[in-house]
Each structure stands twice: as C-alpha cells, then as structure tokens.
Amino acid sequence: MLSSTVENYLKELFLLDQYGNKEIATGEIAKSLDVTPGSATSMIKTLAQAGLVEHRPHYGVKLTKQGRTLAVHVVRRHRIVELFLVKVLGMDWSKVHEEAEQLEHVVSDEIISRMDDLLGHPSHDPHGDPIPTTDGTLPERPLQLLSFCDRGDSVSIARIGNQNANFLQFAQDNGLLLGARIEVTNRNDIADSMTIHAKGKDVVLGLAAAGRIEVEYA
C-alpha cells in the first residue's frame, strides 16, 4: 500500500499535467504541494527508483504508465468522495475538498465502488472536475475560460477551477453554480474586469477571477 505522501505526489503530478504532455519542474511541484524544493527532489528520486516517474535533472519529471495509473486511482477516489459528501451527506461544496484530501487515502476500493453505484456513476465532481472511469479514462469536454468570453456571450458554468473555500463561497453567493446560465454584459480589458448577469443580478469579476471559471456554450 502506498503512503499518503507518495499518493499526494503522484496525484499532484497528474493534476499539473493531466495528459502527460510535458515535464514538470521540481520547483513547480514543491510550490504546488507547499514543501521545500529539497524535500520535493528527495521524494522524486524515491518515486523514480520505484518506477513511478521519469526524472531528468534540470529538466523535470513525468509520470510513468504505472505512476499515472496509480495517480488516476487517487484522483478518482478523491472526486467520488467529494460528490458523495455533497450529494448524500449534504455538505457545502466549499468544505468538501479538505475532507476528501484526508479520506482519499483511507477509503477502500469497495466503498468507492458502492459510492459510485449510489451516485449513478457520475462523470464530474461537485466543482465540475472530471471523474476518471474505472479503466482510467478521463472524460473530456470542450470548455473555455470565462475570462476569454466577449460581451454578449451566453454560456453555462461547467467547472470551478479554484477550490479555495472563500472563492467557492463567493461563487455560491452570486449564483455561479454548475449549470447556471450567465451572460457577459460588459468587458473592460483596461480595468481587467468583466460584468456578468447571473441569478437575476449583475456581478463584476476581475479577469483573474473569471479565469478560474470554465464555461461551455449551449
């Protein structure tokens, strides 16, 4: 059984490059996991010795086929747990990420399978992140960042990329929930802001904040 630390590294490498197209710098991994570069380098060497990553010093690190399989397994557990906490236990979507971070390392495959059955084999978690299938396939959708939308565009919210509790609470308070229809009523590139109409009211977003929301056209 893998340690929670190993699982966290594998999962983070997957999240930083879901399709395995690039090498991830050690510094980027360290920043993402909030550890020192020295700690990250040491763990990466351990993962490389175990055949879970390919590491080229001064270039970066990539998951091997075995490492990716294990990483996807952890991601699947995490996202199913999140959805279960929201849909079945009624927890607020802004609070389930941290809970799932703990539970993903201890919940059994049998429990995950039963959760998946109960939820009806969902394709996405409460924040719109795709849930890998049992064979490791990651559902894909043609999404666009809200920050790239123009005035007059009418779209629906498909994913909230920032799972910070405060940002999720802001999104909820302003009707920016998954599936919500919104219209871009104004865009000001000089002020780096846009105005959207959601849930019967206008909401002003900085383009940085809008870049954390992914949308799809009807």
Side-chain angles (χ1 to χ4, degrees):
M1 183 176 179
L2 299 178
S3 70
S4 60
T5 300
V6 168
E7 289 190 337
N8 283 336
Y9 270 83
L10 295 178
K11 181 180 72 172
E12 203 61 36
L13 283 167
F14 173 81
L15 294 177
L16 289 169
D17 181 27
Q18 295 190 38
Y19 299 101
N21 297 323
K22 63 180 181 178
E23 292 175 305
I24 307 299
T26 302
E28 186 176 358
I29 300 167
K31 181 179 179 181
S32 187
L33 288 170
D34 195 24
V35 299
T36 65
S39 295
T41 298
S42 178
M43 177 54 72
I44 287 168
K45 289 180 179 178
T46 299
L47 296 176
Q49 291 170 357
L52 300 177
V53 302
E54 296 175 355
H55 179 220
R56 293 200 303 161
H58 311 299
Y59 287 91
V61 59
K62 290 179 65 174
L63 291 168
T64 63
K65 183 177 180 180
Q66 180 186 4
R68 179 180 172 82
T69 296
L70 293 171
V72 169
H73 188 64
V74 179
V75 170
R76 174 175 165 80
R77 292 203 308 257
H78 179 98
R79 292 177 178 172
I80 287 178
V81 166
E82 281 194 337
L83 191 61
F84 182 84
L85 293 176
V86 171
K87 293 293 187 181
V88 179
L89 299 188
M91 290 186 64
D92 191 293
W93 73 330
S94 67
K95 299 178 180 179
V96 296
H97 180 71
E98 292 302 323
E99 294 291 342
E101 285 285 296
Q102 304 300 316
L103 292 171
E104 69 187 29
H105 302 299
V106 297
V107 67
S108 71
D109 289 342
E110 180 179 358
I111 295 299
I112 288 296
S113 179
R114 289 177 179 269
M115 287 181 176
D116 188 37
D117 288 342
L118 181 63
L119 293 167
H121 309 290
S123 60
H124 296 82
D125 75 3
H127 312 106
D129 288 321
I131 297 174
T133 61
T134 54
D135 66 2
T137 301
L138 198 66
E140 293 185 52
R141 290 182 294 175
L143 304 183
Q144 174 174 290
L145 296 178
L146 176 58
S147 56
F148 289 169
C149 291
D150 294 322
R151 181 176 180 178
D153 284 352
S154 181
V155 295
S156 61
I157 295 177
R159 177 175 179 265
I160 305 293
N162 186 331
Q163 295 184 11
N164 173 275
N166 290 332
F167 187 80
L168 290 173
Q169 189 61 56
F170 166 82
Q172 182 170 306
D173 291 344
N174 288 280
L176 306 180
L177 303 175
L178 297 190
R181 296 288 304 174
I182 60 175
E183 181 182 355
V184 179
T185 57
N186 193 28
R187 181 185 176 99
N188 189 327
D189 290 324
I190 296 177
D192 288 329
S193 67
M194 67 193 320
T195 304
I196 61 174
H197 189 74
K199 203 177 179 180
K201 66 178 181 180
D202 288 332
V203 180
V204 178
L205 288 174
L207 293 185
R212 301 170 184 171
I213 299 172
E214 293 182 47
V215 299
E216 56 188 351
Y217 290 89

